[in-house]
Amino acid sequence: MLDVLAFVALGIALGIFTGFLPGIHVNNLTPMFLALAVGSAFASMTLAAAIVAMAVTNTFISYIPATFLGAPEPGTELSVLPAHRLLMQGKGYEAIKLTAVGCFGGLLLGAALIWPMLLIVGPAYAAIGPHMHMLLTAIVIVMIALERSKAGIFWASVIFLLSGFLGLLSLDTNLSRGDVALMPLLSGLFGVSTLLLSLKNGGKMPKQRIDDRPLEIKRNLKPLFAGTAAGALTGIIPGVGPSQGTVLAQLATRSSGTREFMVSVSGVNTAKALFSFVALYAIGRARSGAAVAVEQLMDVGFRELVFLVGVALFVGGIAVILHMKLGRFAARNIGRLPYRATCIAVIAGIVGLTIYYSGLVGLLILTTATAIGILPAVVNVKRTHCMGVIMLPCILYFAGLKGGVLSALGL
Amino acid sequence: MEKITKLGLLCSLAGLAAIYAGAVYVRPSVTPIARLDNEFVGLKVIVSGQVVDLRESNGHLFLKLQDNSGGVISVPIFSSTRSQLGDSIELLDEVQVTGEVTLYRGELEVVPEEAGDVIIVHSPCTGVASIGADMLGEPIRVIGVVEKREIVGSGNIILTLAEDGGKLAVFVPASVARSEEFPEVHVGYTVQASGWLQMYNNELELRLTGAWNIKVIGAA
């Protein structure tokens, strides 16, 4: 028991580390636990507990750099802009509280609704799967049509196609490994572009207000339920990431406000992390890097699932406290940093990590993604259209057209 | 159009053009299987080889391909992809697969994403009369008429195939014979069977490893 607790503590520490550093992902560290499993006395369950602890903690903590530095990780990309908006209103800590409600609520609701969700999601997948490309296409059309003006619809379409083409070339060719390309893609589209615009506009970090009043839970229940359901869906269905799940959740709840959006998107992210482990038991397939590692450590039966969910809940309780404390510390101290220099340092950090992980090709992807990421703000449309980077390859994949399109392009 | 919009659009298009040119330059090419190692993980390759092992589980198909380089690679074809294949894959078929190299439980795999990534060329059958001891241990595919069908031991089946004056025993282990996929095979049926040639009681026989390695071509 003590060894499990020790490894859970190690997982939490590593989750904080991966959450704080944009570009360092849980998947970068899981091989360490797999290596430990070979030729060591540690039980597989203990190592799996550490991986679950790291993955769950990471989903909470990654919202801190996303909020204060505008640096996204996969899953937090859509929250960067609303969180940054709150930050620039001096409400960075409120963004942290909202994501804490979303993350922890998503985890609790997800755990409570595992069985109903499994009953619904399996048949829903079987029914939706063959029509997934049509569903995603419909979501894209609605997203673009919501721009209303002719110019808005035109630019939204251009941005969606540019992002989609960039995603297809970066994620589905040999130019770069898909998981490596994701960091410069998302950082460029959602992070560096936001920071560059802030620099151009002479952004100054306003003083952050620490509002300790509890959030109204009732108001957040709808986005929380929608986020959890979408997280369960994306945790089990391949190719549908948290951002697409959030779009679904938004459509289901018609929530468009910044605060509801943040609760919803963070709920999706944590519920997805939980359900990627549930998927190991329910459909025998790994749906995340961490779940792949757990799958390699042990066969997940009912007993193991209960253990993993128990660990996730235990860690969630600790992670939400850490998230609030660290977020509060960041909100109190971010103003002490010179905003301009901080933005430049973050951009330099992202560029450095990109070159380290994916070389000059990554830098080219980052530059192109940043150029596309600047467009929504300057032509005044929603940045969500940049999700074409994942949605277009997804649509082509589900339609069975990806290979044909790549062949037609001579790839 | 604002200057920054023009600049953003220009940079986006120039970047995409450069990325496209790079992607064309490194597009997947046919890679000898023996050359595949962990360095290829995450990259797309094309492998082409003969199916030397094949098994089915929960609707998924798991192949092992071997090419002239001597290397053998696993190719899982998941049910969603398999259901879209226009043709069935059989042992000894020549198959070309385009897919991403992944590592599963320490073993390299090439995973096709969609049916179009799998090209199947059926290999011809070996005449029963031309099978000799020099082919012992090799996988072969034969076609012939079932001359005799007997059950031996605890449910094993031995079929005797005849073709052009030659005869060959096909050993079907009980585990294969009992599976739901094993077709009804009676005397007089023409069947195609694939398996490994082995020696039993000084007689050559073909050993079936799965129900999907035998199919009825015509009934009497």
Side-chain angles (χ1 to χ4, degrees):
Chain A
M1 185 64 189
L2 274 178
D3 55 344
V4 173
L5 284 176
F7 267 87
V8 164
L10 176 66
I12 291 172
L14 292 175
I16 294 172
F17 174 70
T18 56
F20 258 123
L21 285 183
I24 307 284
H25 196 259
V26 167
N27 296 352
N28 299 123
L29 300 186
T30 46
M32 183 179 80
F33 291 105
L34 294 179
L36 268 179
V38 183
S40 79
F42 298 116
S44 298
M45 292 271 264
T46 308
L47 298 170
I51 292 171
V52 171
M54 180 166 66
V56 170
T57 309
N58 176 77
T59 59
F60 283 78
I61 304 298
S62 57
Y63 285 101
I64 297 176
T67 302
F68 293 102
L69 303 177
E73 284 207 349
T76 66
E77 60 269 30
L78 281 184
S79 70
V80 167
L81 213 61
H84 205 72
R85 203 179 301 143
L86 285 174
L87 179 76
M88 298 317 280
Q89 293 168 5
K91 296 175 182 170
Y93 184 61
E94 188 182 344
I96 294 298
K97 287 203 297 184
L98 288 165
T99 52
V101 168
C103 286
F104 195 51
L107 192 64
L108 290 180
L109 263 181
L113 300 177
I114 281 177
W115 300 119
M117 289 287 185
L118 283 181
L119 287 177
I120 296 164
V121 167
Y125 181 34
I128 296 169
H131 314 291
M132 185 60 80
H133 56 291
M134 288 191 266
L135 180 71
L136 293 175
T137 307
I139 291 171
V140 171
I141 291 170
V142 170
M143 266 164 50
I144 292 174
L146 283 175
E147 291 295 341
R148 296 178 195 280
S149 72
K150 273 185 188 169
I153 289 172
F154 169 76
W155 279 112
S157 309
V158 168
I159 290 164
F160 179 83
L161 288 174
L162 287 175
S163 311
F165 195 48
L166 176 65
L168 197 65
L169 292 177
S170 309
L171 300 171
D172 292 296
T173 66
N174 276 348
L175 202 60
S176 174
R177 289 174 172 83
D179 53 341
V180 173
L182 214 50
M183 187 230 165
L185 275 177
L186 298 179
S187 298
L189 288 169
F190 300 98
V192 177
S193 51
T194 309
L195 294 171
L196 280 179
L197 287 168
S198 293
L199 281 175
K200 179 187 169 278
N201 298 332
K204 218 178 133 186
M205 180 67 71
K207 189 171 163 45
Q208 298 296 311
R209 288 191 296 278
I210 308 288
D211 184 352
D212 275 329
R213 282 175 299 175
L215 290 172
E216 196 188 330
I217 296 295
K218 198 178 161 188
R219 190 181 161 189
N220 291 310
L221 276 180
K222 205 166 136 189
L224 201 53
F225 267 104
T228 307
L233 199 76
T234 58
I236 293 186
I237 297 177
V240 184
S243 295
Q244 289 98 314
T246 308
V247 175
L248 280 172
Q250 259 194 307
L251 284 175
T253 59
R254 294 183 186 170
S255 63
S256 53
T258 300
R259 289 167 178 81
E260 286 87 352
F261 181 83
M262 293 207 62
V263 171
S264 175
V265 74
S266 46
V268 173
N269 213 10
T270 319
K272 183 196 183 297
L274 179 76
F275 273 88
S276 68
F277 298 116
V278 176
L280 286 176
Y281 168 75
I283 57 170
R285 298 256 198 106
R287 286 275 175 262
S288 70
V292 168
V294 169
E295 188 191 35
Q296 290 182 24
L297 286 170
M298 62 187 194
D299 291 325
V300 178
F302 180 71
R303 200 171 67 94
E304 289 78 14
L305 177 67
V306 172
F307 173 74
L308 294 177
V309 173
V311 169
L313 288 173
F314 173 69
V315 170
I318 296 170
V320 72
I321 296 167
L322 288 170
H323 178 62
M324 297 284 282
K325 295 270 182 206
L326 292 169
R328 190 187 171 93
F329 177 82
R332 277 211 168 126
N333 294 288
I334 192 83
R336 294 185 188 178
L337 299 173
Y339 184 67
R340 215 181 150 74
T342 308
C343 286
I344 292 169
V346 172
I347 293 171
I350 290 173
V351 169
L353 280 169
T354 299
I355 293 173
Y356 177 74
Y357 278 116
S358 42
L360 292 176
V361 169
L363 191 61
L364 180 62
I365 293 171
L366 178 71
T367 311
T368 311
T370 303
I372 297 172
I374 284 173
L375 289 174
V378 295
V379 298
N380 206 19
V381 296
K382 290 189 198 77
R383 191 165 297 219
T384 323
H385 306 303
C386 290
M387 281 315 293
V389 72
I390 291 169
M391 290 189 80
L392 185 65
C394 270
I395 289 169
L396 293 175
Y397 166 74
F398 282 115
L401 293 172
K402 195 146 84 175
V405 170
L406 288 170
S407 294
L409 290 168
L411 301 169
Chain B
M1 203 187 288
E2 262 190 67
K3 204 174 159 188
I4 190 163
T5 312
K6 278 185 192 165
L7 190 67
L9 204 54
L10 200 68
C11 284
S12 308
L13 293 172
L16 281 174
I19 291 170
Y20 174 70
V24 169
Y25 183 70
V26 293
R27 67 185 155 194
S29 55
V30 178
T31 310
I33 294 172
R35 262 193 60 206
L36 293 177
D37 57 22
N38 287 6
E39 291 293 307
F40 281 83
V41 173
L43 295 179
K44 254 189 176 180
V45 294
I46 301 172
V47 289
S48 189
Q50 192 174 45
V51 180
V52 292
D53 191 17
L54 181 150
R55 72 186 168 82
E56 196 180 20
S57 173
N58 296 327
H60 312 306
L61 201 58
F62 298 91
L63 315 177
K64 283 202 187 292
L65 291 190
Q66 185 172 36
D67 67 1
N68 293 336
S69 71
V72 177
I73 188 85
S74 297
V75 176
I77 302 178
F78 296 118
S79 56
S80 53
T81 308
R82 188 187 176 194
S83 63
Q84 290 167 0
L85 286 176
D87 202 353
S88 63
I89 300 178
E90 294 159 22
L91 200 67
L92 301 180
D93 281 344
E94 290 289 335
V95 176
Q96 179 174 292
V97 179
T98 306
E100 188 180 320
V101 181
T102 63
L103 203 57
Y104 184 72
R105 298 194 172 175
E107 197 185 341
L108 287 173
E109 296 179 333
V110 174
V111 187
E113 220 174 46
E114 52 192 44
D117 291 336
V118 183
I119 299 169
I120 309 157
V121 179
H122 293 299
S123 55
C125 293
T126 308
V128 170
S130 64
I131 292 172
D134 56 323
M135 297 162 86
L136 205 61
E138 284 181 17
I140 59 164
R141 175 186 295 169
V142 291
I143 193 164
V145 177
V146 179
E147 197 180 74
K148 203 161 103 184
R149 182 184 192 273
E150 51 187 323
I151 298 175
V152 292
S154 54
N156 304 312
I157 298 175
I158 294 179
L159 304 169
T160 304
L161 297 191
E163 186 228 5
D164 286 343
K167 282 185 187 178
L168 180 71
V170 176
F171 177 72
V172 185
S175 57
V176 175
R178 284 193 198 110
S179 75
E180 277 181 24
E181 290 83 18
F182 189 73
E184 284 282 328
V185 180
H186 298 289
V187 172
Y189 281 22
T190 303
V191 298
Q192 179 186 295
S194 307
W196 271 261
L197 204 59
Q198 64 180 18
M199 192 69 89
Y200 185 74
N201 282 347
N202 288 326
E203 293 283 333
L204 285 173
E205 69 173 20
L206 187 74
R207 184 187 175 88
L208 245 62
T209 53
W212 46 88
N213 288 332
I214 185 166
K215 68 176 178 185
V216 176
I217 305 290

